[in-house]
Amino acid sequence: MRQSQLFTRVSRQVPKDEVSKNAQLLIRAGFIHKEMAGVYSFLPLGLRVLNKVIGVIREEMDAIGGQELSLTALQEKALWEKTDRWDDRKVDVWFKTVLKNGTELGLGSTHEEPVTRLMTQYVNSYRDLPLLAYQFQTKFRNEMRAKSGIMRVREFIMKDLYSFARTEEEHAELYASVRAAYLRIFERVGLGKSTYATFASGGIFSKYSEEFQTVSEAGEDLIYVDEASGRALNKEVFTDEVLADLGMKREALVEKKSIEVGNIFTLGTRFSDPLGLKFRDEHGEERPVLMGCYGIGPGRVMGTIVETLSDEKGIVWPESVAPFRVHLLSLGQDKEADRIYQDLTSSGIETLYDDRTVSAGEKFAESDLIGIPYQVIIGKKTLESGEAEVKRRSDGSVDKISLVDLSEHFRVVVG
Ligand code: ATP
Ligand code: MG
């Protein structure tokens, strides 16, 4: 894409009403737009990143046999009354509305109820199980606090997956497969080293749930990490009994602030019982389906990447989620740069081409702020030597690559 045609612009001004680093950087660099407190729109650069994050999650969900669907945001009161989750005293984040005829509707903050009811139409026999169903869908939550930029918002896309199993063992297998997929997802989006599967309170059907917590000063949670074993637990469950139960030693634990990027939960029959989701086993006996739920917020993941990987110059996107792979900067050498742009794009290399007539200093500073992994600099000197400077955003290292080999370099050499 030609940057001259991008309608967003980089701003030097730090937005005054934003306290979080992710919102400040993402707004300045033109990735997001604040509509109101806790409500952000995604602009072209931001949407590209969000979609990359979604793409990684989708690949991993499909790889474990997840079937993608899309449930509605609008929710029926009667359904949620069956599980006792319509009452605002039970679920305090509801957005609700009343139609002219008096019908009350809610905007879904999660989807256990509709997905469980849906499955009663399709699951009858043991032959219909196990199954995994997931979606990327807009949730609405009337969150109290909204100071964490895109990490805690009132309208956001969630990836929510639900598992349906016949036995405890089968549930444990599904749970383990989703857990492993989550670890791969956080690794692929650049958060692998800083993210811990963390024991948290479990509810009625299992002792613990697991949260995927990324260590960050911007986090709202506190966790205790045993760095030697890589195990962690949330402060909210931290008692001597729990430590003994998990075989963790108090002396080995280090307290850290962290961001909950994902969360996996055993539901047992919490929803299948009240909503009548049952199956007939091999002996013709009716049994409740055992469920689990597994969430990740792609927007929160994106905000966490900005919080944890950016530097004093701006954002540093990992290649897997960067809006573009290459930022081509023409320093007044548009004819040659045009040719290189054609070459890169026709080789399938996603390139943002800064073809604007602004100073070199401005181009460098803005490119560092936007955070595309590779800057390809085409200046007068470059052309004389027949080589482009290729600067890696993450560590500032520079390689000189022959102009004729550039697209090959990005296709093969850099991977
Ligand atoms: P938190 O404790 O941070 O409020 P939660 O326990 O309510 O999170 P879940 O209901 O399990 O979160 O949601 C699954 C995932 O959705 C979370 O792990 C997080 O990545 C994301 N998420 C939850 N609430 C928000 C929000 N308000 N804004 C953005 N993403 C969110
Ligand atoms: Mg919450």
Side-chain angles (χ1 to χ4, degrees):
M1 174 173 210
R2 285 177 179 270
Q3 209 168 328
S4 59
Q5 288 167 7
L6 187 65
F7 72 79
T8 59
R9 268 180 292 278
V10 166
S11 157
R12 277 171 220 265
Q13 243 75 53
V14 177
K16 283 188 210 70
D17 55 340
E18 293 290 355
V19 288
S20 73
K21 177 159 80 174
N22 73 84
Q24 289 181 354
L25 287 172
L26 289 167
I27 289 172
R28 283 185 56 211
F31 285 74
I32 60 169
H33 171 75
K34 185 179 196 165
E35 298 293 342
M36 53 188 135
V39 184
Y40 297 88
S41 296
F42 285 80
L43 304 178
L45 291 177
L47 187 59
R48 289 180 76 98
V49 175
L50 189 67
N51 281 335
K52 292 258 170 89
V53 174
I54 287 173
V56 169
I57 300 172
R58 178 177 282 127
E59 277 178 23
E60 296 296 342
M61 293 298 101
D62 288 347
I64 56 170
Q67 302 179 54
E68 187 170 352
L69 45 69
S70 180
L71 300 168
T72 64
L74 288 173
Q75 297 296 317
E76 187 191 17
K77 177 182 176 183
L79 173 63
W80 291 74
E81 281 180 337
K82 287 190 183 147
T83 57
D84 199 22
R85 294 215 294 175
W86 177 259
D87 193 327
D88 293 324
R89 285 164 301 189
K90 296 279 163 49
V91 174
D92 60 0
V93 294
W94 272 113
F95 281 105
K96 292 177 182 171
T97 189
V98 187
L99 301 184
K100 286 210 175 88
N101 67 6
T103 307
E104 283 181 83
L105 294 177
L107 292 171
S109 63
T110 180
H111 278 77
E112 285 83 3
E113 280 79 352
V115 80
T116 306
R117 180 169 68 177
L118 171 81
M119 288 306 170
T120 61
Q121 303 234 326
Y122 299 98
V123 172
N124 299 303
S125 120
Y126 66 93
R127 290 187 206 86
D128 302 324
L129 294 167
L131 77 93
L132 298 171
Y134 78 97
Q135 60 177 346
F136 292 95
Q137 193 268 354
T138 303
K139 308 289 185 229
F140 294 87
R141 293 186 179 184
N142 196 356
E143 300 276 6
M144 293 265 285
R145 297 160 293 164
K147 297 184 308 227
S148 297
I150 59 168
M151 299 195 300
R152 183 174 298 285
V153 287
R154 301 202 165 94
E155 173 180 341
F156 62 99
I157 292 178
M158 191 197 287
K159 186 289 296 174
D160 42 331
L161 175 133
Y162 302 89
S163 65
F164 303 88
R166 293 169 288 200
T167 60
E168 297 283 353
E169 298 74 57
E170 190 166 78
H171 168 71
E173 277 168 35
L174 295 177
Y175 183 97
S177 74
V178 184
R179 186 183 191 279
Y182 270 40
L183 292 172
R184 286 194 294 274
I185 289 166
F186 296 120
E187 183 68 40
R188 285 181 63 183
V189 301
L191 299 176
K193 287 201 184 65
S194 52
T195 302
Y196 294 89
T198 304
F199 291 103
S201 53
I204 329 165
F205 286 91
S206 65
K207 261 190 185 162
Y208 306 106
S209 68
E210 282 177 285
E211 296 169 343
F212 291 78
Q213 296 275 3
T214 306
V215 171
S216 163
E217 276 306 307
E220 296 178 3
D221 287 15
L222 277 179
I223 60 168
Y224 291 96
V225 178
D226 175 352
E227 271 155 352
S229 68
R231 298 171 83 210
L233 79 160
N234 196 308
K235 188 174 184 174
E236 65 178 33
V237 293
F238 186 84
T239 63
D240 284 324
E241 284 102 300
V242 169
L243 284 182
D245 186 41
L246 296 172
M248 290 169 88
K249 297 242 163 5
R250 192 181 264 273
E251 316 80 73
L253 300 177
V254 184
E255 187 182 281
K256 294 180 192 265
K257 278 181 143 184
S258 61
I259 303 162
E260 182 203 303
V261 284
N263 154 345
I264 62 182
F265 220 89
T266 294
L267 297 172
T269 58
R270 166 69 180 91
F271 297 94
S272 39
D273 272 346
L275 298 174
L277 179 59
K278 292 175 268 194
F279 71 101
R280 274 189 197 285
D281 68 14
E282 291 90 327
H283 314 292
E285 244 168 79
E286 213 167 54
R287 302 219 304 226
V289 174
L290 303 179
M291 290 174 55
C293 67
Y294 313 80
I296 296 184
R300 187 178 287 184
V301 168
M302 179 173 160
T304 303
I305 291 169
V306 177
E307 291 289 342
T308 55
L309 301 180
S310 56
D311 63 18
E312 66 291 346
K313 293 183 181 144
I315 305 170
V316 182
W317 295 112
E319 285 193 44
S320 56
V321 300
F324 293 90
R325 188 112 179 281
V326 167
H327 202 174
L328 177 64
L329 309 180
S330 167
L331 309 185
Q333 305 300 325
D334 292 357
K335 219 167 132 219
E336 188 60 18
D338 275 0
R339 194 194 59 72
I340 292 166
Y341 176 59
Q342 289 308 327
D343 193 28
L344 288 170
T345 48
S346 64
S347 303
I349 295 151
E350 292 174 303
T351 304
L352 180 64
Y353 171 24
D354 193 347
D355 58 341
R356 301 167 308 155
T357 40
V358 299
S359 73
E362 223 167 306
K363 287 194 179 184
F364 292 142
E366 293 194 2
S367 181
D368 282 347
L369 178 62
I370 292 171
I372 292 169
Y374 298 96
Q375 300 171 6
V376 171
I377 301 152
I378 307 297
K380 201 154 169 240
K381 264 199 240 134
T382 347
L383 291 189
E384 281 161 14
S385 64
E387 289 175 325
E389 277 186 12
V390 177
K391 185 173 152 199
R392 202 189 276 264
R393 175 64 183 86
S394 56
D395 60 8
S397 63
V398 177
D399 280 329
K400 294 221 159 57
I401 306 295
S402 151
L403 292 177
V404 289
D405 295 339
L406 257 185
S407 51
E408 195 62 6
H409 175 75
F410 285 108
R411 227 156 41 85
V412 186
V413 186
V414 189

